[in-house]
PDB file of all heavy atoms in Angstrom:
ATOM      1  N   THR A 216       0.854  -1.172   0.000  1.00 77.00           N
ATOM      2  CA  THR A 216       0.000   0.000   0.000  1.00 77.00           C
ATOM      3  C   THR A 216       0.887   1.218   0.000  1.00 77.00           C
ATOM      4  O   THR A 216       2.053   1.176   0.372  1.00 77.00           O
ATOM      5  CB  THR A 216      -0.917   0.016   1.231  1.00 77.00           C
ATOM      6  OG1 THR A 216      -0.091  -0.004   2.395  1.00 77.00           O
ATOM      7  CG2 THR A 216      -1.845  -1.174   1.244  1.00 77.00           C
ATOM      8  N   GLY A 217       0.333   2.310  -0.423  1.00 87.00           N
ATOM      9  CA  GLY A 217       1.101   3.543  -0.438  1.00 87.00           C
ATOM     10  C   GLY A 217       1.917   3.693  -1.708  1.00 87.00           C
ATOM     11  O   GLY A 217       1.868   2.887  -2.621  1.00 87.00           O
ATOM     12  N   LYS A 218       2.694   4.712  -1.727  1.00 90.00           N
ATOM     13  CA  LYS A 218       3.502   5.061  -2.903  1.00 90.00           C
ATOM     14  C   LYS A 218       4.825   4.311  -2.880  1.00 90.00           C
ATOM     15  O   LYS A 218       5.434   4.133  -1.842  1.00 90.00           O
ATOM     16  CB  LYS A 218       3.747   6.561  -2.901  1.00 90.00           C
ATOM     17  CG  LYS A 218       4.465   7.055  -4.123  1.00 90.00           C
ATOM     18  CD  LYS A 218       4.399   8.562  -4.206  1.00 90.00           C
ATOM     19  CE  LYS A 218       5.244   9.065  -5.333  1.00 90.00           C
ATOM     20  NZ  LYS A 218       4.539   9.355  -6.537  1.00 90.00           N
ATOM     21  N   ILE A 219       5.259   3.899  -4.051  1.00 91.00           N
ATOM     22  CA  ILE A 219       6.566   3.269  -4.214  1.00 91.00           C
ATOM     23  C   ILE A 219       7.458   4.248  -4.961  1.00 91.00           C
ATOM     24  O   ILE A 219       7.082   4.779  -6.009  1.00 91.00           O
ATOM     25  CB  ILE A 219       6.453   1.948  -5.001  1.00 91.00           C
ATOM     26  CG1 ILE A 219       5.613   0.940  -4.209  1.00 91.00           C
ATOM     27  CG2 ILE A 219       7.840   1.389  -5.310  1.00 91.00           C
ATOM     28  CD1 ILE A 219       5.306  -0.324  -4.960  1.00 91.00           C
ATOM     29  N   TYR A 220       8.635   4.493  -4.439  1.00 92.00           N
ATOM     30  CA  TYR A 220       9.577   5.412  -5.054  1.00 92.00           C
ATOM     31  C   TYR A 220      10.670   4.629  -5.768  1.00 92.00           C
ATOM     32  O   TYR A 220      11.248   3.706  -5.206  1.00 92.00           O
ATOM     33  CB  TYR A 220      10.232   6.309  -3.995  1.00 92.00           C
ATOM     34  CG  TYR A 220       9.255   7.241  -3.325  1.00 92.00           C
ATOM     35  CD1 TYR A 220       8.669   6.899  -2.118  1.00 92.00           C
ATOM     36  CD2 TYR A 220       8.925   8.460  -3.898  1.00 92.00           C
ATOM     37  CE1 TYR A 220       7.765   7.741  -1.494  1.00 92.00           C
ATOM     38  CE2 TYR A 220       8.035   9.317  -3.292  1.00 92.00           C
ATOM     39  CZ  TYR A 220       7.456   8.956  -2.088  1.00 92.00           C
ATOM     40  OH  TYR A 220       6.572   9.803  -1.476  1.00 92.00           O
ATOM     41  N   GLU A 221      10.933   5.008  -6.998  1.00 91.00           N
ATOM     42  CA  GLU A 221      12.026   4.423  -7.765  1.00 91.00           C
ATOM     43  C   GLU A 221      12.654   5.513  -8.620  1.00 91.00           C
ATOM     44  O   GLU A 221      11.958   6.394  -9.125  1.00 91.00           O
ATOM     45  CB  GLU A 221      11.531   3.303  -8.681  1.00 91.00           C
ATOM     46  CG  GLU A 221      11.060   2.066  -7.953  1.00 91.00           C
ATOM     47  CD  GLU A 221      10.709   0.948  -8.914  1.00 91.00           C
ATOM     48  OE1 GLU A 221       9.622   1.010  -9.497  1.00 91.00           O
ATOM     49  OE2 GLU A 221      11.552   0.050  -9.059  1.00 91.00           O
ATOM     50  N   GLY A 222      13.954   5.423  -8.793  1.00 93.00           N
ATOM     51  CA  GLY A 222      14.651   6.378  -9.642  1.00 93.00           C
ATOM     52  C   GLY A 222      14.639   5.924 -11.089  1.00 93.00           C
ATOM     53  O   GLY A 222      14.748   4.738 -11.378  1.00 93.00           O
ATOM     54  N   MET A 223      14.478   6.862 -11.986  1.00 95.00           N
ATOM     55  CA  MET A 223      14.482   6.577 -13.419  1.00 95.00           C
ATOM     56  C   MET A 223      15.912   6.721 -13.953  1.00 95.00           C
ATOM     57  O   MET A 223      16.720   7.451 -13.394  1.00 95.00           O
ATOM     58  CB  MET A 223      13.563   7.563 -14.149  1.00 95.00           C
ATOM     59  CG  MET A 223      12.130   7.560 -13.645  1.00 95.00           C
ATOM     60  SD  MET A 223      11.265   6.018 -13.931  1.00 95.00           S
ATOM     61  CE  MET A 223      11.143   6.060 -15.685  1.00 95.00           C
ATOM     62  N   LEU A 224      16.169   6.050 -15.039  1.00 97.00           N
ATOM     63  CA  LEU A 224      17.474   6.175 -15.691  1.00 97.00           C
ATOM     64  C   LEU A 224      17.372   7.192 -16.821  1.00 97.00           C
ATOM     65  O   LEU A 224      17.571   6.891 -17.992  1.00 97.00           O
ATOM     66  CB  LEU A 224      17.954   4.808 -16.203  1.00 97.00           C
ATOM     67  CG  LEU A 224      18.464   3.879 -15.126  1.00 97.00           C
ATOM     68  CD1 LEU A 224      18.775   2.504 -15.695  1.00 97.00           C
ATOM     69  CD2 LEU A 224      19.703   4.464 -14.467  1.00 97.00           C
ATOM     70  N   GLN A 225      17.037   8.415 -16.444  1.00 98.00           N
ATOM     71  CA  GLN A 225      16.901   9.529 -17.381  1.00 98.00           C
ATOM     72  C   GLN A 225      17.715  10.697 -16.847  1.00 98.00           C
ATOM     73  O   GLN A 225      17.406  11.245 -15.795  1.00 98.00           O
ATOM     74  CB  GLN A 225      15.424   9.910 -17.530  1.00 98.00           C
ATOM     75  CG  GLN A 225      15.158  11.110 -18.392  1.00 98.00           C
ATOM     76  CD  GLN A 225      15.817  11.042 -19.758  1.00 98.00           C
ATOM     77  OE1 GLN A 225      16.794  11.754 -19.997  1.00 98.00           O
ATOM     78  NE2 GLN A 225      15.336  10.203 -20.644  1.00 98.00           N
ATOM     79  N   ALA A 226      18.777  11.058 -17.571  1.00 98.00           N
ATOM     80  CA  ALA A 226      19.700  12.084 -17.085  1.00 98.00           C
ATOM     81  C   ALA A 226      19.384  13.482 -17.589  1.00 98.00           C
ATOM     82  O   ALA A 226      20.085  14.436 -17.243  1.00 98.00           O
ATOM     83  CB  ALA A 226      21.138  11.700 -17.473  1.00 98.00           C
ATOM     84  N   SER A 227      18.340  13.635 -18.372  1.00 98.00           N
ATOM     85  CA  SER A 227      17.981  14.933 -18.925  1.00 98.00           C
ATOM     86  C   SER A 227      17.766  15.953 -17.810  1.00 98.00           C
ATOM     87  O   SER A 227      17.017  15.712 -16.865  1.00 98.00           O
ATOM     88  CB  SER A 227      16.711  14.796 -19.758  1.00 98.00           C
ATOM     89  OG  SER A 227      16.310  16.044 -20.252  1.00 98.00           O
ATOM     90  N   GLY A 228      18.451  17.068 -17.904  1.00 98.00           N
ATOM     91  CA  GLY A 228      18.311  18.148 -16.929  1.00 98.00           C
ATOM     92  C   GLY A 228      19.118  17.977 -15.659  1.00 98.00           C
ATOM     93  O   GLY A 228      19.170  18.891 -14.838  1.00 98.00           O
ATOM     94  N   LEU A 229      19.745  16.834 -15.465  1.00 98.00           N
ATOM     95  CA  LEU A 229      20.547  16.613 -14.261  1.00 98.00           C
ATOM     96  C   LEU A 229      21.956  17.182 -14.432  1.00 98.00           C
ATOM     97  O   LEU A 229      22.499  17.204 -15.531  1.00 98.00           O
ATOM     98  CB  LEU A 229      20.636  15.117 -13.942  1.00 98.00           C
ATOM     99  CG  LEU A 229      19.326  14.419 -13.593  1.00 98.00           C
ATOM    100  CD1 LEU A 229      19.564  12.931 -13.368  1.00 98.00           C
ATOM    101  CD2 LEU A 229      18.678  15.046 -12.366  1.00 98.00           C
ATOM    102  N   ARG A 230      22.533  17.607 -13.312  1.00 98.00           N
ATOM    103  CA  ARG A 230      23.895  18.155 -13.300  1.00 98.00           C
ATOM    104  C   ARG A 230      24.776  17.240 -12.459  1.00 98.00           C
ATOM    105  O   ARG A 230      24.384  16.816 -11.379  1.00 98.00           O
ATOM    106  CB  ARG A 230      23.875  19.561 -12.706  1.00 98.00           C
ATOM    107  CG  ARG A 230      23.033  20.539 -13.535  1.00 98.00           C
ATOM    108  CD  ARG A 230      22.622  21.748 -12.734  1.00 98.00           C
ATOM    109  NE  ARG A 230      21.842  21.283 -11.576  1.00 98.00           N
ATOM    110  CZ  ARG A 230      21.845  21.859 -10.392  1.00 98.00           C
ATOM    111  NH1 ARG A 230      22.554  22.922 -10.167  1.00 98.00           N
ATOM    112  NH2 ARG A 230      21.128  21.388  -9.400  1.00 98.00           N
ATOM    113  N   PHE A 231      25.976  16.980 -12.974  1.00 98.00           N
ATOM    114  CA  PHE A 231      26.881  16.038 -12.326  1.00 98.00           C
ATOM    115  C   PHE A 231      28.241  16.656 -12.073  1.00 98.00           C
ATOM    116  O   PHE A 231      28.781  17.350 -12.938  1.00 98.00           O
ATOM    117  CB  PHE A 231      27.076  14.784 -13.200  1.00 98.00           C
ATOM    118  CG  PHE A 231      25.802  14.058 -13.486  1.00 98.00           C
ATOM    119  CD1 PHE A 231      25.061  14.353 -14.609  1.00 98.00           C
ATOM    120  CD2 PHE A 231      25.335  13.089 -12.607  1.00 98.00           C
ATOM    121  CE1 PHE A 231      23.878  13.684 -14.876  1.00 98.00           C
ATOM    122  CE2 PHE A 231      24.156  12.417 -12.861  1.00 98.00           C
ATOM    123  CZ  PHE A 231      23.419  12.712 -14.003  1.00 98.00           C
ATOM    124  N   GLY A 232      28.788  16.368 -10.910  1.00 98.00           N
ATOM    125  CA  GLY A 232      30.176  16.679 -10.597  1.00 98.00           C
ATOM    126  C   GLY A 232      30.935  15.365 -10.560  1.00 98.00           C
ATOM    127  O   GLY A 232      30.444  14.385  -9.988  1.00 98.00           O
ATOM    128  N   ILE A 233      32.086  15.328 -11.185  1.00 99.00           N
ATOM    129  CA  ILE A 233      32.899  14.110 -11.194  1.00 99.00           C
ATOM    130  C   ILE A 233      34.278  14.456 -10.646  1.00 99.00           C
ATOM    131  O   ILE A 233      34.903  15.410 -11.092  1.00 99.00           O
ATOM    132  CB  ILE A 233      33.028  13.520 -12.617  1.00 99.00           C
ATOM    133  CG1 ILE A 233      31.646  13.230 -13.210  1.00 99.00           C
ATOM    134  CG2 ILE A 233      33.880  12.252 -12.581  1.00 99.00           C
ATOM    135  CD1 ILE A 233      31.672  12.698 -14.641  1.00 99.00           C
ATOM    136  N   VAL A 234      34.719  13.665  -9.678  1.00 98.00           N
ATOM    137  CA  VAL A 234      36.060  13.840  -9.114  1.00 98.00           C
ATOM    138  C   VAL A 234      36.909  12.654  -9.567  1.00 98.00           C
ATOM    139  O   VAL A 234      36.528  11.504  -9.342  1.00 98.00           O
ATOM    140  CB  VAL A 234      36.041  13.901  -7.575  1.00 98.00           C
ATOM    141  CG1 VAL A 234      37.433  14.250  -7.045  1.00 98.00           C
ATOM    142  CG2 VAL A 234      35.011  14.903  -7.083  1.00 98.00           C
ATOM    143  N   CYS A 235      38.030  12.952 -10.203  1.00 98.00           N
ATOM    144  CA  CYS A 235      38.911  11.910 -10.744  1.00 98.00           C
ATOM    145  C   CYS A 235      40.292  11.997 -10.102  1.00 98.00           C
ATOM    146  O   CYS A 235      40.842  13.089  -9.945  1.00 98.00           O
ATOM    147  CB  CYS A 235      39.098  12.102 -12.248  1.00 98.00           C
ATOM    148  SG  CYS A 235      37.603  11.895 -13.213  1.00 98.00           S
ATOM    149  N   ALA A 236      40.839  10.842  -9.784  1.00 98.00           N
ATOM    150  CA  ALA A 236      42.206  10.774  -9.258  1.00 98.00           C
ATOM    151  C   ALA A 236      43.188  10.717 -10.423  1.00 98.00           C
ATOM    152  O   ALA A 236      43.014   9.939 -11.357  1.00 98.00           O
ATOM    153  CB  ALA A 236      42.370   9.534  -8.381  1.00 98.00           C
ATOM    154  N   ARG A 237      44.201  11.549 -10.353  1.00 98.00           N
ATOM    155  CA  ARG A 237      45.228  11.565 -11.397  1.00 98.00           C
ATOM    156  C   ARG A 237      46.153  10.344 -11.304  1.00 98.00           C
ATOM    157  O   ARG A 237      46.666   9.860 -12.307  1.00 98.00           O
ATOM    158  CB  ARG A 237      46.045  12.857 -11.306  1.00 98.00           C
ATOM    159  CG  ARG A 237      46.893  13.089 -12.528  1.00 98.00           C
ATOM    160  CD  ARG A 237      47.539  14.479 -12.550  1.00 98.00           C
ATOM    161  NE  ARG A 237      46.531  15.503 -12.834  1.00 98.00           N
ATOM    162  CZ  ARG A 237      46.108  16.399 -11.950  1.00 98.00           C
ATOM    163  NH1 ARG A 237      46.581  16.426 -10.734  1.00 98.00           N
ATOM    164  NH2 ARG A 237      45.207  17.287 -12.289  1.00 98.00           N
ATOM    165  N   PHE A 238      46.349   9.824 -10.092  1.00 97.00           N
ATOM    166  CA  PHE A 238      47.182   8.630  -9.918  1.00 97.00           C
ATOM    167  C   PHE A 238      46.484   7.475 -10.635  1.00 97.00           C
ATOM    168  O   PHE A 238      45.284   7.291 -10.511  1.00 97.00           O
ATOM    169  CB  PHE A 238      47.360   8.323  -8.427  1.00 97.00           C
ATOM    170  CG  PHE A 238      48.483   7.388  -8.141  1.00 97.00           C
ATOM    171  CD1 PHE A 238      49.782   7.853  -8.075  1.00 97.00           C
ATOM    172  CD2 PHE A 238      48.243   6.038  -7.954  1.00 97.00           C
ATOM    173  CE1 PHE A 238      50.842   6.988  -7.810  1.00 97.00           C
ATOM    174  CE2 PHE A 238      49.289   5.162  -7.682  1.00 97.00           C
ATOM    175  CZ  PHE A 238      50.592   5.638  -7.615  1.00 97.00           C
ATOM    176  N   ASN A 239      47.196   6.721 -11.410  1.00 96.00           N
ATOM    177  CA  ASN A 239      46.644   5.676 -12.286  1.00 96.00           C
ATOM    178  C   ASN A 239      45.706   6.278 -13.330  1.00 96.00           C
ATOM    179  O   ASN A 239      44.686   5.694 -13.699  1.00 96.00           O
ATOM    180  CB  ASN A 239      45.930   4.578 -11.485  1.00 96.00           C
ATOM    181  CG  ASN A 239      46.886   3.709 -10.719  1.00 96.00           C
ATOM    182  OD1 ASN A 239      47.955   3.358 -11.212  1.00 96.00           O
ATOM    183  ND2 ASN A 239      46.524   3.361  -9.500  1.00 96.00           N
ATOM    184  N   GLU A 240      46.096   7.449 -13.837  1.00 97.00           N
ATOM    185  CA  GLU A 240      45.278   8.208 -14.786  1.00 97.00           C
ATOM    186  C   GLU A 240      44.934   7.404 -16.033  1.00 97.00           C
ATOM    187  O   GLU A 240      43.863   7.590 -16.618  1.00 97.00           O
ATOM    188  CB  GLU A 240      46.007   9.504 -15.165  1.00 97.00           C
ATOM    189  CG  GLU A 240      45.192  10.462 -16.014  1.00 97.00           C
ATOM    190  CD  GLU A 240      45.298  10.205 -17.512  1.00 97.00           C
ATOM    191  OE1 GLU A 240      46.307   9.613 -17.953  1.00 97.00           O
ATOM    192  OE2 GLU A 240      44.371  10.586 -18.240  1.00 97.00           O
ATOM    193  N   PHE A 241      45.797   6.513 -16.458  1.00 96.00           N
ATOM    194  CA  PHE A 241      45.504   5.695 -17.632  1.00 96.00           C
ATOM    195  C   PHE A 241      44.167   4.984 -17.458  1.00 96.00           C
ATOM    196  O   PHE A 241      43.335   4.973 -18.368  1.00 96.00           O
ATOM    197  CB  PHE A 241      46.620   4.664 -17.864  1.00 96.00           C
ATOM    198  CG  PHE A 241      46.316   3.707 -18.982  1.00 96.00           C
ATOM    199  CD1 PHE A 241      46.498   4.089 -20.300  1.00 96.00           C
ATOM    200  CD2 PHE A 241      45.821   2.442 -18.712  1.00 96.00           C
ATOM    201  CE1 PHE A 241      46.191   3.219 -21.346  1.00 96.00           C
ATOM    202  CE2 PHE A 241      45.512   1.555 -19.746  1.00 96.00           C
ATOM    203  CZ  PHE A 241      45.701   1.948 -21.065  1.00 96.00           C
ATOM    204  N   PHE A 242      43.936   4.419 -16.286  1.00 97.00           N
ATOM    205  CA  PHE A 242      42.687   3.711 -16.013  1.00 97.00           C
ATOM    206  C   PHE A 242      41.549   4.681 -15.693  1.00 97.00           C
ATOM    207  O   PHE A 242      40.415   4.491 -16.127  1.00 97.00           O
ATOM    208  CB  PHE A 242      42.858   2.734 -14.849  1.00 97.00           C
ATOM    209  CG  PHE A 242      43.894   1.688 -15.101  1.00 97.00           C
ATOM    210  CD1 PHE A 242      45.085   1.699 -14.387  1.00 97.00           C
ATOM    211  CD2 PHE A 242      43.706   0.702 -16.050  1.00 97.00           C
ATOM    212  CE1 PHE A 242      46.054   0.737 -14.614  1.00 97.00           C
ATOM    213  CE2 PHE A 242      44.669  -0.261 -16.280  1.00 97.00           C
ATOM    214  CZ  PHE A 242      45.851  -0.248 -15.570  1.00 97.00           C
ATOM    215  N   VAL A 243      41.855   5.721 -14.927  1.00 98.00           N
ATOM    216  CA  VAL A 243      40.821   6.667 -14.507  1.00 98.00           C
ATOM    217  C   VAL A 243      40.231   7.392 -15.708  1.00 98.00           C
ATOM    218  O   VAL A 243      39.018   7.643 -15.756  1.00 98.00           O
ATOM    219  CB  VAL A 243      41.366   7.656 -13.455  1.00 98.00           C
ATOM    220  CG1 VAL A 243      40.298   8.676 -13.065  1.00 98.00           C
ATOM    221  CG2 VAL A 243      41.857   6.908 -12.223  1.00 98.00           C
ATOM    222  N   SER A 244      41.034   7.694 -16.710  1.00 98.00           N
ATOM    223  CA  SER A 244      40.501   8.359 -17.905  1.00 98.00           C
ATOM    224  C   SER A 244      39.482   7.473 -18.617  1.00 98.00           C
ATOM    225  O   SER A 244      38.497   7.962 -19.176  1.00 98.00           O
ATOM    226  CB  SER A 244      41.629   8.769 -18.854  1.00 98.00           C
ATOM    227  OG  SER A 244      42.299   7.638 -19.353  1.00 98.00           O
ATOM    228  N   LYS A 245      39.668   6.171 -18.551  1.00 97.00           N
ATOM    229  CA  LYS A 245      38.696   5.227 -19.130  1.00 97.00           C
ATOM    230  C   LYS A 245      37.397   5.233 -18.312  1.00 97.00           C
ATOM    231  O   LYS A 245      36.304   5.140 -18.865  1.00 97.00           O
ATOM    232  CB  LYS A 245      39.268   3.809 -19.171  1.00 97.00           C
ATOM    233  CG  LYS A 245      40.609   3.686 -19.834  1.00 97.00           C
ATOM    234  CD  LYS A 245      40.500   3.522 -21.310  1.00 97.00           C
ATOM    235  CE  LYS A 245      41.832   3.150 -21.922  1.00 97.00           C
ATOM    236  NZ  LYS A 245      42.466   4.256 -22.617  1.00 97.00           N
ATOM    237  N   LEU A 246      37.534   5.330 -16.989  1.00 98.00           N
ATOM    238  CA  LEU A 246      36.351   5.419 -16.133  1.00 98.00           C
ATOM    239  C   LEU A 246      35.581   6.702 -16.430  1.00 98.00           C
ATOM    240  O   LEU A 246      34.341   6.693 -16.499  1.00 98.00           O
ATOM    241  CB  LEU A 246      36.747   5.374 -14.656  1.00 98.00           C
ATOM    242  CG  LEU A 246      37.476   4.126 -14.159  1.00 98.00           C
ATOM    243  CD1 LEU A 246      37.803   4.271 -12.682  1.00 98.00           C
ATOM    244  CD2 LEU A 246      36.655   2.879 -14.418  1.00 98.00           C
ATOM    245  N   LEU A 247      36.302   7.802 -16.586  1.00 98.00           N
ATOM    246  CA  LEU A 247      35.665   9.087 -16.882  1.00 98.00           C
ATOM    247  C   LEU A 247      34.923   9.023 -18.214  1.00 98.00           C
ATOM    248  O   LEU A 247      33.776   9.460 -18.312  1.00 98.00           O
ATOM    249  CB  LEU A 247      36.704  10.208 -16.887  1.00 98.00           C
ATOM    250  CG  LEU A 247      36.190  11.596 -17.248  1.00 98.00           C
ATOM    251  CD1 LEU A 247      35.098  12.053 -16.281  1.00 98.00           C
ATOM    252  CD2 LEU A 247      37.353  12.584 -17.285  1.00 98.00           C
ATOM    253  N   SER A 248      35.557   8.462 -19.224  1.00 97.00           N
ATOM    254  CA  SER A 248      34.894   8.328 -20.528  1.00 97.00           C
ATOM    255  C   SER A 248      33.629   7.483 -20.411  1.00 97.00           C
ATOM    256  O   SER A 248      32.599   7.812 -21.006  1.00 97.00           O
ATOM    257  CB  SER A 248      35.839   7.692 -21.547  1.00 97.00           C
ATOM    258  OG  SER A 248      36.926   8.536 -21.813  1.00 97.00           O
ATOM    259  N   GLY A 249      33.706   6.399 -19.647  1.00 97.00           N
ATOM    260  CA  GLY A 249      32.543   5.548 -19.447  1.00 97.00           C
ATOM    261  C   GLY A 249      31.419   6.269 -18.731  1.00 97.00           C
ATOM    262  O   GLY A 249      30.238   6.108 -19.074  1.00 97.00           O
ATOM    263  N   ALA A 250      31.768   7.079 -17.733  1.00 98.00           N
ATOM    264  CA  ALA A 250      30.760   7.830 -16.979  1.00 98.00           C
ATOM    265  C   ALA A 250      30.068   8.858 -17.869  1.00 98.00           C
ATOM    266  O   ALA A 250      28.830   8.953 -17.881  1.00 98.00           O
ATOM    267  CB  ALA A 250      31.402   8.509 -15.770  1.00 98.00           C
ATOM    268  N   ILE A 251      30.848   9.617 -18.609  1.00 98.00           N
ATOM    269  CA  ILE A 251      30.273  10.641 -19.485  1.00 98.00           C
ATOM    270  C   ILE A 251      29.389   9.987 -20.546  1.00 98.00           C
ATOM    271  O   ILE A 251      28.277  10.450 -20.822  1.00 98.00           O
ATOM    272  CB  ILE A 251      31.386  11.502 -20.114  1.00 98.00           C
ATOM    273  CG1 ILE A 251      32.070  12.334 -19.024  1.00 98.00           C
ATOM    274  CG2 ILE A 251      30.821  12.399 -21.226  1.00 98.00           C
ATOM    275  CD1 ILE A 251      33.338  13.035 -19.480  1.00 98.00           C
ATOM    276  N   ASP A 252      29.866   8.898 -21.133  1.00 97.00           N
ATOM    277  CA  ASP A 252      29.097   8.187 -22.146  1.00 97.00           C
ATOM    278  C   ASP A 252      27.756   7.709 -21.580  1.00 97.00           C
ATOM    279  O   ASP A 252      26.714   7.869 -22.225  1.00 97.00           O
ATOM    280  CB  ASP A 252      29.905   7.007 -22.682  1.00 97.00           C
ATOM    281  CG  ASP A 252      29.158   6.238 -23.751  1.00 97.00           C
ATOM    282  OD1 ASP A 252      28.906   6.819 -24.830  1.00 97.00           O
ATOM    283  OD2 ASP A 252      28.826   5.061 -23.511  1.00 97.00           O
ATOM    284  N   ALA A 253      27.768   7.145 -20.379  1.00 98.00           N
ATOM    285  CA  ALA A 253      26.524   6.652 -19.767  1.00 98.00           C
ATOM    286  C   ALA A 253      25.547   7.794 -19.519  1.00 98.00           C
ATOM    287  O   ALA A 253      24.342   7.656 -19.771  1.00 98.00           O
ATOM    288  CB  ALA A 253      26.831   5.908 -18.465  1.00 98.00           C
ATOM    289  N   ILE A 254      26.046   8.921 -19.050  1.00 98.00           N
ATOM    290  CA  ILE A 254      25.172  10.076 -18.786  1.00 98.00           C
ATOM    291  C   ILE A 254      24.552  10.582 -20.085  1.00 98.00           C
ATOM    292  O   ILE A 254      23.337  10.793 -20.173  1.00 98.00           O
ATOM    293  CB  ILE A 254      25.948  11.196 -18.062  1.00 98.00           C
ATOM    294  CG1 ILE A 254      26.300  10.753 -16.634  1.00 98.00           C
ATOM    295  CG2 ILE A 254      25.147  12.500 -18.057  1.00 98.00           C
ATOM    296  CD1 ILE A 254      27.326  11.639 -15.931  1.00 98.00           C
ATOM    297  N   VAL A 255      25.369  10.753 -21.106  1.00 98.00           N
ATOM    298  CA  VAL A 255      24.873  11.262 -22.386  1.00 98.00           C
ATOM    299  C   VAL A 255      23.912  10.269 -23.039  1.00 98.00           C
ATOM    300  O   VAL A 255      22.873  10.656 -23.567  1.00 98.00           O
ATOM    301  CB  VAL A 255      26.051  11.618 -23.317  1.00 98.00           C
ATOM    302  CG1 VAL A 255      25.581  11.941 -24.724  1.00 98.00           C
ATOM    303  CG2 VAL A 255      26.836  12.800 -22.745  1.00 98.00           C
ATOM    304  N   ARG A 256      24.225   8.981 -22.973  1.00 98.00           N
ATOM    305  CA  ARG A 256      23.339   7.964 -23.567  1.00 98.00           C
ATOM    306  C   ARG A 256      21.983   7.906 -22.882  1.00 98.00           C
ATOM    307  O   ARG A 256      21.016   7.415 -23.460  1.00 98.00           O
ATOM    308  CB  ARG A 256      23.989   6.588 -23.490  1.00 98.00           C
ATOM    309  CG  ARG A 256      25.058   6.366 -24.519  1.00 98.00           C
ATOM    310  CD  ARG A 256      25.646   4.970 -24.358  1.00 98.00           C
ATOM    311  NE  ARG A 256      26.733   4.761 -25.261  1.00 98.00           N
ATOM    312  CZ  ARG A 256      26.640   4.088 -26.403  1.00 98.00           C
ATOM    313  NH1 ARG A 256      25.489   3.568 -26.760  1.00 98.00           N
ATOM    314  NH2 ARG A 256      27.690   3.932 -27.164  1.00 98.00           N
ATOM    315  N   HIS A 257      21.917   8.390 -21.653  1.00 98.00           N
ATOM    316  CA  HIS A 257      20.648   8.399 -20.932  1.00 98.00           C
ATOM    317  C   HIS A 257      20.002   9.781 -20.928  1.00 98.00           C
ATOM    318  O   HIS A 257      19.219  10.116 -20.027  1.00 98.00           O
ATOM    319  CB  HIS A 257      20.841   7.852 -19.511  1.00 98.00           C
ATOM    320  CG  HIS A 257      21.027   6.374 -19.514  1.00 98.00           C
ATOM    321  ND1 HIS A 257      22.252   5.779 -19.695  1.00 98.00           N
ATOM    322  CD2 HIS A 257      20.121   5.370 -19.424  1.00 98.00           C
ATOM    323  CE1 HIS A 257      22.098   4.473 -19.697  1.00 98.00           C
ATOM    324  NE2 HIS A 257      20.819   4.199 -19.525  1.00 98.00           N
ATOM    325  N   GLY A 258      20.342  10.583 -21.917  1.00 98.00           N
ATOM    326  CA  GLY A 258      19.674  11.856 -22.118  1.00 98.00           C
ATOM    327  C   GLY A 258      20.326  13.050 -21.472  1.00 98.00           C
ATOM    328  O   GLY A 258      19.798  14.156 -21.549  1.00 98.00           O
TER     329      GLY A 258
END
């Protein structure tokens, strides 16, 4: 009973801050690319 809350996978209008560690930057840059791609692919 009552309302059920769930988050949608729609990034339209959302603002994101991303903090990246420079140490092991070779790998972290891949993580950053993956994060940006996921956000853009979801609007």
Side-chain angles (χ1 to χ4, degrees):
T216 59
K218 185 167 174 98
I219 296 173
Y220 294 96
E221 291 185 282
M223 303 295 292
L224 285 174
Q225 176 52 253
S227 177
L229 296 177
R230 298 160 301 147
F231 301 91
I233 303 178
V234 187
C235 295
R237 193 171 287 111
F238 197 82
N239 289 320
E240 187 272 336
F241 175 80
F242 300 111
V243 178
S244 64
K245 307 274 190 255
L246 299 179
L247 177 59
S248 294
I251 293 170
D252 181 65
I254 291 167
V255 171
R256 283 180 184 259
H257 286 86

